[in-house]
Amino acid sequence: MMTDVPRVTAQEVRGRQRAKKAWLVCAYESDEMFRKAQLDGALSLSQFQERLPMLPRATEIVFYCA
């Protein structure tokens, strides 16, 4: 069952990133697309998958695509 995905502003995400409460992840599987749409401080999907085992459970994950 799908639920509504909460929307957040860029400012909210930036604040959560700075506070180390959220990871910003580009949802594109292609590294080329990631380079074209990369936001400051964002991880590529492959980087995120590599780091996922180290992710504390309380950390928010914000996915984006452009």
Side-chain angles (χ1 to χ4, degrees):
M1 179 170 149
M2 295 277 303
T3 60
D4 288 332
V5 176
R7 302 282 180 179
V8 292
T9 67
Q11 293 81 10
E12 290 173 315
V13 173
R14 194 65 165 148
R16 292 173 188 174
Q17 264 188 298
R18 287 185 181 143
K20 306 272 189 235
K21 293 182 179 181
W23 283 9
L24 181 61
V25 180
C26 182
Y28 292 119
E29 291 185 7
S30 160
D31 286 337
E32 181 181 343
M33 287 297 294
F34 170 67
R35 284 189 292 278
K36 290 180 182 179
Q38 183 177 5
L39 297 177
D40 187 37
L43 298 172
S44 69
L45 192 56
S46 60
Q47 290 170 324
F48 169 70
Q49 290 169 334
E50 289 173 9
R51 296 177 187 186
L52 188 58
M54 299 175 282
L55 181 67
R57 286 199 173 271
T59 305
E60 182 177 5
I61 303 165
V62 179
F63 289 95
Y64 76 92
C65 58

